[in-house]
Amino acid sequence: KAGDVRFFLMNGLPLMRDGSYAAFRRVPAKGDVRSNIHAAGTARKVRVTDTMLRIAEMVRPKLVGDGMFLVGLDIVGDKLLEINVFTPGGLARLADMYKTDFATRVIVALEEKATLRRAYGKTVPNSRLATL
């Protein structure tokens, strides 16, 4: 009934800006169990808990090792349901919700990654670039 939390990680770490985490609760519409926004779920602010941070830390080595740049963790209570690696939607929604432009942090990180890629070429894998 309370839905799930979409929690964004960038380079394996929680995405933050201006003291806010990039995370929101997806609450299902009345009478539906799906909390997806496209299934009439609604987005609400959420307080990131120590449990959510522990889950993020637990998956961080795998995400960095696999070179995953921007992902969305879907969390219910103390359970990780899914790691969205291809289309972690909802980031734009957070700008209005928290009055913070998280996308700028992502763009700056991508620009830094492109600069490192130009400097090192293919000699440094994406998973290593995430740790520089």
Side-chain angles (χ1 to χ4, degrees):
K1 289 183 179 183
D4 66 344
V5 171
R6 169 68 51 89
F7 187 19
F8 290 90
L9 305 182
M10 186 172 67
N11 286 326
L13 298 171
L15 176 57
M16 290 186 74
R17 181 150 191 211
D18 301 330
S20 294
Y21 287 103
F24 63 96
R25 180 171 301 285
R26 301 182 306 174
V27 180
K30 188 173 181 171
D32 200 342
V33 295
R34 300 170 298 163
S35 58
N36 306 67
I37 302 302
H38 74 273
T42 56
R44 300 206 178 120
K45 283 185 176 183
V46 67
R47 184 183 68 77
V48 171
T49 65
D50 289 342
T51 299
M52 292 174 201
L53 292 171
R54 279 193 300 277
I55 291 170
E57 183 60 25
M58 189 181 345
V59 298
R60 184 172 66 84
K62 178 68 173 156
L63 295 174
V64 171
D66 288 349
M68 295 291 109
F69 174 69
L70 182 67
V71 303
L73 305 183
D74 290 347
I75 301 170
V76 173
D78 63 351
K79 304 287 188 252
L80 175 64
L81 298 180
E82 181 178 12
I83 302 175
N84 293 276
V85 298
F86 294 116
T87 55
L91 194 58
R93 179 172 277 105
L94 294 173
D96 290 333
M97 192 178 295
Y98 291 101
K99 306 297 184 225
T100 300
D101 184 11
F102 292 100
T104 299
R105 286 284 321 267
V106 175
I107 292 166
V108 167
L110 285 170
E111 289 171 343
E112 289 172 1
K113 190 177 283 247
T115 298
L116 290 169
R117 176 63 73 208
R118 282 191 297 276
Y120 295 107
K122 300 276 185 189
T123 62
V124 178
N126 192 45
S127 59
R128 182 72 178 119
L129 287 177
T131 62
L132 296 177

